[in-house]
């Protein structure tokens, strides 16, 4: 029996997204849209009708994960002291760094007037975390959301009635309701590809192996090795996010190596599955219901 | 932010968020559908229990009114829920499984039978036919009533919406108290002086419980309490205090006057609506600013 309650010979599959090698090319976003036939547009902060928009957030024009964005590449532009600038992580990871011969496009230099100031870029491809304890799945009243044999979390489009409960339940703000369609959509971890032994579309398209697909146990070991490697190279800000099976969601099936605090990437620092407190919630509701009975009996039995 | 609601030209992120974008999603439900669904269900629940108690006590007018209110309220509540679905034609998918981890599933299994039973009972009361069946249906609806008036609090709390989740101890008391004052409000408007004493007592108990719990919402939830104090939610919850206070004062001083009773009843019902719209607004506000997600979670991790 696995921690997700599934008992099958199939190992748990997931993603390890190593953001230290992400070049922000958005191949994953495009490959995901192509394979899954996800419509354009309708990300947070975008003009839904236009479908594509310039958000003025660095090179990010998608904004965030939503019903129509299942992979989202975040572009973080930060002021950093000039001294810290050379620790751009791609160069810092010795063994894996490769000169891809890309044209030198870079974060705009804003520093000359401001003494010692520079700008660094962080790029990260975000995705549904396929939580071990998935709030979206727990609260779905129809059973449309289910856990697959790969221990991933998938919506069945023919069952979802668009109640929208999964949307505020997700502690990462991943799943969304699609305008015009009314149902909820999110990353399926390419459920339709896995069965045929293929990798998910995004992992296949990623040119730098920032997105790695595989057995979760193996990915966790690989991620820890990469974190150590970066620390040894002096990138001490490297940290894993979502890899801990003891965190508030029981660990993510899709986890990350980040180079700053999670909130900088738009990720919650300490997500907890809301249903963890559900027994306490029902207890409070039962107490209140008992209070209603007592109040009614007391009021109606009174004289006059 | 610029006039178009986009971030200003300098696209530099801060250490607290990703361009100030929300982390968790705003509830995907519509207003007024869902606040009305919460309000009507609450009134219907307490009314059914009130009717079930009033019948054996020989308070026939109260029993009849409670029965009819329960039926009308619950059918309207169900209507609002169905109207809010992305796929209303698939409402019955709510009943394809029973999922204790989903308060919306549990709630649907309370609401659907409740509205059927309440409608049977009301039909019997209004036509004078099938009295035994009608009385039995009314009694069972009366037993479900307290659950009707409180499950919606769990429904909201069982999300990642900070203002709702963190309020899981208070919300059931707020909703139960408000449902009692609103149900009493209907009776104060519709019934003669003879029945006003017990319902005034019920209203007083409900008002006390609700205002005490709402005060805790505004003071005990740390930074999240802000969302109950300011903005739309703050104004609505202030209005609840004023309206409920007016209702209590009017019933205490002017119970003999038909006009005073009607005004008090109206104030209670208006307060009940403001409660649901206010709590809803606080939830929305708590998702729009990522600090309500980030700060409590950082504190939890011991990072300030
Ligand atoms: S990240 Fe959100 S949508 Fe994905 S499995 Fe977890 S709770 Fe569900
Ligand atoms: S919107 Fe669909 S997937 Fe989400 S909780 Fe409702 S039925 Fe389940």
């Amino acid at each position: 029996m696995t921690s997700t309650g599934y008992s099958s010979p199939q190992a748990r599959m997931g993603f390890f997204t190593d953001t230290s090698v992400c070049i922000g090319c958005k191949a994953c976003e495009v490959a995901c849209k192509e394979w899954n036939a996800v419509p354009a547009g309708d990300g947070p902060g975008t003009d839904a009708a236009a479908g594509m928009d310039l958000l003025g957030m660095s090179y990010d024009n998608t904004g965030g994960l939503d019903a129509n964005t299942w992979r989202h590449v975040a572009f973080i532009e930060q002021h950093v002291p000039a001294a810290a600038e050379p620790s751009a992580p791609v160069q810092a990871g010795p063994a894996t760094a490769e000169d891809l011969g890309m044209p030198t496009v870079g974060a705009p230099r804003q520093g000359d007037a401001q003494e010692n100031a520079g700008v660094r870029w962080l790029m990260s491809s975000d995705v549904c975390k396929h939580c071990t304890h998935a709030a979206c799945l727990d609260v779905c009243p129809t059973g449309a959301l289910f856990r697959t044999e790969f221990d991933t979390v998938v919506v069945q489009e023919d069952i979802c009635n668009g109640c929208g409960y999964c949307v505020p339940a997700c502690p990462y703000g991943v799943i969304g309701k699609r305008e015009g369609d009314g149902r909820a959509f999110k990353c399926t971890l390419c459920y339709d590809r896995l069965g045929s032994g293929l990798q998910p579309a995004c992992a296949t398209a990623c040119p730098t192996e920032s997105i790695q697909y595989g057995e979760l146990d193996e990915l966790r070991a690989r991620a820890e090795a990469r974190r150590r490697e970066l620390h040894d190279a002096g990138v001490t800000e490297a940290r894993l996010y979502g890899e801990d099976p003891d965190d508030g969601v029981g660990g993510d099936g899709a986890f990350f190596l980040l180079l700053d605090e999670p909130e900088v990437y738009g990720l919650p620092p300490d997500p907890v599955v809301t249903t963890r407190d559900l027994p306490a919630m029902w207890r409070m509701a039962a107490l209140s219901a008992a209070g209603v009975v007592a109040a009614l009996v007391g009021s109606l039995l009174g004289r006059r | 932010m610029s006039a178009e609601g986009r971030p200003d030209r300098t696209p530099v992120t801060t250490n607290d968020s990703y361009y100030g974008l929300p982390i968790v999603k705003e509830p995907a439900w519509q207003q007024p559908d869902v606040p009305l669904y919460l309000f009507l269900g609450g009134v219907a629940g307490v009314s059914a229990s009130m009717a079930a108690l009033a019948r054996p006590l020989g308070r026939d007018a109260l029993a009849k009114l409670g029965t009819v209110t329960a039926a009308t309220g619950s059918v309207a509540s169900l209507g609002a829920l169905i109207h809010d679905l992305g796929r209303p034609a698939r409402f019955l998918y709510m009943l394809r499984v029973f999922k204790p981890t989903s308060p919306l599933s549990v709630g649907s299994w309370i609401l659907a039978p409740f509205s059927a039973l309440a409608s049977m009972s009301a039909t019997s009361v209004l036509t004078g036919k099938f009295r035994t069946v009608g009385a039995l249906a009314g009694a069972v609806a009366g037993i479900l009533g307290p659950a009707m008036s409180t499950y919606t609090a769990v429904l909201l709390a069982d999300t990642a919406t900070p203002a709702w989740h963190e309020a899981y101890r208070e919300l059931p008391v707020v909703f139960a108290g408000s449902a009692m004052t609103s149900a009493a409000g209907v009776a104060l408007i519709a019934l003669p002086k003879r029945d006003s004493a017990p319902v005034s007592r019920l209203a007083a108990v409900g008002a006390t419980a609700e205002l005490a719990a709402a005060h805790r919402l505004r003071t005990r939830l740390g930074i999240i309490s802000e969302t109950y104090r300011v903005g739309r939610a703050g104004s609505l919850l202030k209005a609840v205090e004023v309206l409920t206070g007016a209702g209590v004062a009017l019933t205490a001083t002017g119970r003999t006057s038909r006009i005073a009773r009607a005004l008090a009843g109206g104030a209670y019902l208006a307060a009940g609506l403001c409660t649901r719209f206010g709590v809803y607004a606080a939830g929305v506000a708590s998702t729009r600013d990522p600090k309500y997600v980030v700060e409590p979670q950082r504190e939890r991790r011991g990072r300030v």
Side-chain angles (χ1 to χ4, degrees):
Chain A
M1 189 85 128
T2 64
S3 50
T4 52
Y6 230 97
S7 68
S8 78
Q10 169 65 50
R12 181 172 182 187
M13 305 307 278
F15 282 132
F16 165 46
T17 306
D18 177 356
T19 72
S20 70
V21 293
C22 177
I23 55 170
C25 68
K26 302 188 194 180
C28 49
E29 283 193 22
V30 175
C32 173
K33 285 224 178 221
E34 284 284 335
W35 178 263
N36 293 297
V38 178
D42 188 47
T46 62
D47 179 349
M52 270 167 280
D53 209 348
L54 297 175
L55 299 183
M57 291 162 22
S58 189
Y59 285 76
D60 182 356
N61 295 320
T62 357
L65 296 174
D66 205 347
N68 293 344
T69 308
W70 298 356
R71 269 276 177 194
H72 163 246
V73 180
F75 280 75
I76 293 116
E77 287 188 26
Q78 285 176 325
H79 283 304
V80 284
E85 221 183 333
S87 90
V90 180
Q91 286 96 325
T96 51
E98 266 171 43
D99 184 1
L100 296 169
M102 300 291 277
T104 50
V105 179
R109 298 207 153 249
Q110 311 197 333
D112 296 344
Q114 300 154 270
E115 218 186 319
N116 283 341
V119 170
R120 80 159 170 173
W121 266 2
L122 299 175
M123 286 154 279
S124 166
S125 179
D126 196 11
V127 71
C128 168
K129 316 300 177 289
H130 295 276
C131 311
T132 305
H133 304 302
C136 62
L137 190 160
D138 282 351
V139 305
C140 175
T142 61
L145 274 154
F146 78 113
R147 192 170 292 283
T148 72
E149 66 273 34
F150 303 101
D151 279 354
T152 55
V153 179
V154 176
V155 192
Q156 301 171 83
E157 292 173 19
D158 53 341
I159 304 292
C160 172
N161 68 7
C163 74
Y165 201 5
C166 50
V167 176
C170 170
Y172 301 95
V174 168
I175 193 165
K177 210 163 148 179
R178 187 176 287 169
E179 295 279 331
D181 180 288
R183 291 172 299 175
F185 293 87
K186 71 167 190 75
C187 161
T188 67
L189 217 139
C190 283
Y191 188 39
D192 52 348
R193 292 170 65 94
L194 303 195
S196 322
L198 292 171
Q199 300 210 9
C202 56
T204 309
C206 180
T208 64
E209 292 187 345
S210 170
I211 300 175
Q212 302 175 26
Y213 163 78
E215 293 187 10
L216 193 60
D217 288 340
E218 203 233 305
L219 289 178
R220 281 179 177 153
R222 210 189 292 172
E224 179 50 29
R226 173 68 178 154
R227 191 190 65 82
R228 278 219 204 97
E229 183 188 357
L230 285 170
H231 274 241
D232 291 346
V235 189
T236 47
E237 62 271 32
R239 78 214 54 199
L240 298 182
Y241 176 81
E243 90 297 353
D244 180 4
D246 296 324
D247 71 13
V249 297
D252 292 330
F255 66 101
F256 301 81
L257 183 144
L258 304 177
L259 297 170
D260 205 330
E261 297 295 349
E263 55 269 30
V264 170
Y265 295 83
L267 295 165
D270 185 25
V272 170
V273 58
T274 183
T275 38
R276 189 195 64 181
D277 300 320
L278 190 56
M281 295 178 201
W282 282 125
R283 267 199 299 283
M284 275 311 296
L287 272 175
S288 308
V292 170
V293 175
L296 274 167
V297 171
S299 311
L300 266 70
L301 286 189
R303 287 169 35 85
R304 286 186 299 142
Chain B
M1 296 287 247
S2 66
E4 298 90 52
R6 294 180 187 159
D8 284 334
R9 204 159 21 91
T10 317
V12 172
T13 53
T14 66
N15 288 331
D16 303 322
S17 72
Y18 183 65
Y19 299 103
L21 289 181
I23 289 182
V24 294
K25 287 240 182 316
E26 208 171 286
W29 298 313
Q30 298 161 31
Q31 300 193 62
D33 297 20
V34 165
L36 280 179
Y37 153 78
L38 305 172
F39 169 73
L40 293 164
V43 180
V46 173
S47 297
S49 305
M50 191 161 73
L53 270 173
R55 198 169 294 119
L57 292 174
R59 292 193 178 269
D60 291 341
L62 192 57
K64 185 172 173 183
L65 179 74
T67 308
V68 175
T69 311
T72 328
S74 60
V75 171
S77 177
L78 191 62
L81 172 63
I82 295 175
H83 185 252
D84 184 65
L85 293 180
R87 291 287 169 105
R90 292 186 178 175
F91 167 70
L92 284 179
Y93 286 20
M94 288 287 188
L95 306 177
R96 87 183 254 288
V97 286
F98 176 76
K99 259 175 91 170
T101 60
S102 169
L104 189 50
S105 170
V106 175
S108 298
W109 280 103
I110 296 173
L111 176 58
F114 179 93
S115 49
L117 290 164
S119 303
M120 275 163 66
S121 181
T123 312
S124 148
V125 163
L126 291 175
T127 59
K129 290 182 183 151
F130 310 111
R131 286 180 182 237
T132 324
V133 179
L136 206 66
V140 180
I143 292 168
L144 288 173
M148 273 287 288
S149 64
T150 48
Y151 85 81
T152 48
V154 182
L155 178 74
L156 294 193
D158 195 29
T159 58
T161 305
W164 295 344
H165 183 90
E166 298 310 315
Y168 74 82
R169 293 177 193 81
E170 289 83 10
L171 280 184
V173 183
V174 172
F175 282 14
S178 167
M180 287 193 271
T181 49
S182 299
V186 176
L188 282 169
I189 294 174
L191 294 181
K193 185 171 148 269
R194 195 160 43 84
D195 287 308
S196 68
V199 293
S200 304
R201 286 194 287 266
L202 182 66
V205 178
T208 313
E210 178 187 359
L211 293 185
H215 179 72
R216 284 177 58 103
L217 288 181
R218 280 193 292 266
T219 51
R220 298 274 183 96
L221 308 181
I223 185 181
I224 290 168
S225 275
E226 246 172 58
T227 60
Y228 287 100
R229 281 198 306 262
V230 300
R232 185 179 145 88
S235 315
L236 284 164
L237 292 183
K238 244 297 53 92
V240 173
E241 281 197 328
V242 174
L243 287 165
T244 309
V248 173
L250 278 166
T251 39
T253 55
R255 213 164 56 215
T256 45
S257 147
R258 172 142 205 138
I259 295 173
R261 285 200 309 276
L263 281 175
Y268 284 144
L269 286 172
L273 277 169
C274 289
T275 297
R276 302 319 192 288
F277 279 92
V279 167
Y280 197 89
V284 170
S286 73
T287 60
R288 289 202 176 150
D289 191 332
K291 77 176 178 198
Y292 298 119
V293 174
V294 171
E295 288 193 19
Q297 294 192 14
R298 268 186 189 168
E299 261 169 52
R300 216 153 58 205
R301 308 210 69 173
R303 292 170 36 209
V304 186

